[in-house]
Amino acid sequence: MKYLCLVYVEEKTLNAMSRDERVALSDESMAYCDELQKNGQLLGASPLHPVEAATTVRVRAGKVSTTDGPFAETKEQLGGYLLIDVRDLNDAVRIASKFPAAQYGSIEVRPIKEGGCA
């Protein structure tokens, strides 16, 4: 079953880290993704640019509007994702709990609906 793991982090926390700490976190994350890929569990993963780069798009009554910034104003921001293919929710939670960024934020695990487009 496929799951999307949405990685939320507080950008203030990451920005407060030293360069060496950020590099170590990135290296740990890459190593973990490599391990998942070798196991055939990782379908895709990517970090995201900071929330300042986000644009939110809405269409109401046929009119398109855009807003600079993320959709939701929260303490933690969406920082990246993992798309995994595992046996069940327990496996997905286990994998999410071992992702290095979970130490600094949270990871939302959601099953993917098969056969369709958002």
Side-chain angles (χ1 to χ4, degrees):
M1 186 165 190
K2 293 180 182 129
Y3 290 87
L4 184 62
C5 300
L6 300 168
V7 180
Y8 290 91
V9 293
E10 190 173 351
E11 288 185 0
K12 285 190 307 186
T13 300
L14 294 179
N15 292 338
M17 296 171 82
S18 71
R19 182 183 186 298
D20 289 344
E21 289 171 321
R22 285 193 307 274
V23 168
L25 177 60
S26 178
D27 289 348
E28 281 181 66
S29 299
M30 292 297 292
Y32 189 56
C33 285
D34 288 345
E35 177 185 330
L36 293 175
Q37 196 163 34
K38 286 176 189 168
N39 293 339
Q41 297 171 305
L42 183 66
L43 302 177
S46 185
L48 299 175
H49 284 280
V51 294
E52 294 82 21
T55 300
T56 299
V57 178
R58 289 188 176 87
V59 179
R60 300 292 185 268
K63 184 179 176 193
V64 177
S65 66
T66 60
T67 306
D68 290 341
F71 171 70
E73 297 293 328
T74 62
K75 184 177 177 182
E76 294 180 340
Q77 295 80 31
L78 182 60
Y81 72 91
L82 300 164
L83 179 58
I84 58 176
D85 191 1
V86 295
R87 184 176 50 246
D88 56 23
L89 177 60
N90 290 330
D91 261 356
V93 168
R94 181 184 53 76
I95 285 171
S97 70
K98 292 182 179 180
F99 192 68
Q103 301 171 64
Y104 302 97
S106 56
I107 300 179
E108 178 182 345
V109 177
R110 293 181 65 178
I112 299 289
K113 285 186 178 181
E114 297 292 332
C117 179

